[in-house]
Amino acid sequence: PYSGLSLRFSGPIELKNLSEVIRFEPQVSGVSTYWDQTERALYINGYFEPSTDYRLVISPALKDPWGSSIGGASGADYTLDFQTLPLQPSVWIGAGYGPQFLTGQDRAVAAQVSGFASLPLSVGSVPVMDFLRMQGQNGYEIWRNYLPADERTWKQAIEGNPDRTQETEIFLSPEQTTLPTGIYMLAVDTSLDA
């Protein structure tokens, strides 16, 4: 994901050729820099891989306006080691919030998932009158707090690297089978430690 870091300096820096004096190991694509004179902060942004160890290397060619090097008299590179955070957990089903209309042959819904090795899921039927109340005034609150009387829960393993957003199918039942015709609520409990 596109993110960044900031470095604060005790004084101004020479802004010429910043891209030549800053590098990352491993390499980062899309690197851009911004100097905030008021804060005396250098903001460095780019596309960093999640859960990855990086080293920022600043060459002693970075100087202040009076010619002093960041490396001081030693002339050494300045290095900063850091690790990026894991990819933010997210689940995106179909078009997002709202009813999804499926056929009697569908046993799963398409989803994009990141940050989970497994998903805690639940499904239960919703009577027509309850469904209509969810579409009306205060419908979001009703939907958010709704618990189907026949709710079933399970965990579905998510294949692949949790630090990548990946397309997957979320099954409509623990048995990975179709459901009888009706209205159902499929929920992903992202508050649980997956």
Side-chain angles (χ1 to χ4, degrees):
Y2 192 76
S3 58
L5 59 120
S6 64
L7 302 172
R8 297 201 184 267
F9 291 82
S10 59
I13 60 171
E14 187 64 47
L15 299 178
K16 291 187 250 176
N17 305 323
L18 279 177
S19 62
E20 295 174 14
V21 298
I22 296 171
R23 74 177 193 279
F24 288 97
E25 299 169 359
Q27 189 173 5
V28 173
S29 65
V31 173
S32 65
T33 59
Y34 170 74
W35 172 253
D36 184 329
Q37 179 62 39
T38 304
E39 296 290 324
R40 292 187 176 158
L42 178 62
Y43 295 92
I44 308 168
N45 297 297
Y47 291 98
F48 293 88
E49 293 294 323
S51 301
T52 302
D53 292 323
Y54 283 97
R55 172 172 282 176
L56 168 65
V57 180
I58 302 178
S59 159
L62 179 64
K63 300 185 184 304
D64 66 21
W66 304 279
S68 296
S69 168
I70 191 172
S74 72
D77 287 341
Y78 170 82
T79 61
L80 173 68
D81 294 323
F82 63 97
Q83 185 180 56
T84 54
L85 295 172
L87 193 59
Q88 187 72 21
S90 70
V91 178
W92 191 262
I93 298 174
Y97 170 76
Q100 306 286 316
F101 298 94
L102 306 174
T103 71
Q105 290 79 38
D106 293 322
R107 60 187 193 106
V109 292
Q112 291 187 4
V113 177
S114 59
F116 290 97
S118 66
L119 288 177
L121 300 168
S122 65
V123 69
S125 61
V126 178
V128 172
M129 290 309 295
D130 289 349
F131 176 74
L132 293 175
R133 285 181 41 236
M134 290 178 199
Q135 308 312 307
Q137 187 174 6
N138 300 319
Y140 176 77
E141 286 301 316
I142 296 167
W143 168 81
R144 198 172 72 114
N145 296 309
Y146 193 80
L147 290 174
D150 59 351
E151 180 180 61
R152 296 186 299 155
T153 62
W154 73 99
K155 279 192 170 190
Q156 178 179 323
I158 302 299
E159 300 295 322
N161 184 345
D163 270 336
R164 299 286 178 266
T165 299
Q166 51 206 0
E167 291 185 19
T168 190
E169 289 187 323
I170 296 178
F171 293 104
L172 302 176
S173 70
E175 301 80 23
Q176 301 181 4
T177 58
T178 61
L179 295 172
T181 301
I183 301 172
Y184 295 89
M185 175 179 275
L186 175 68
V188 180
D189 186 356
T190 58
S191 67
L192 297 176
D193 182 14

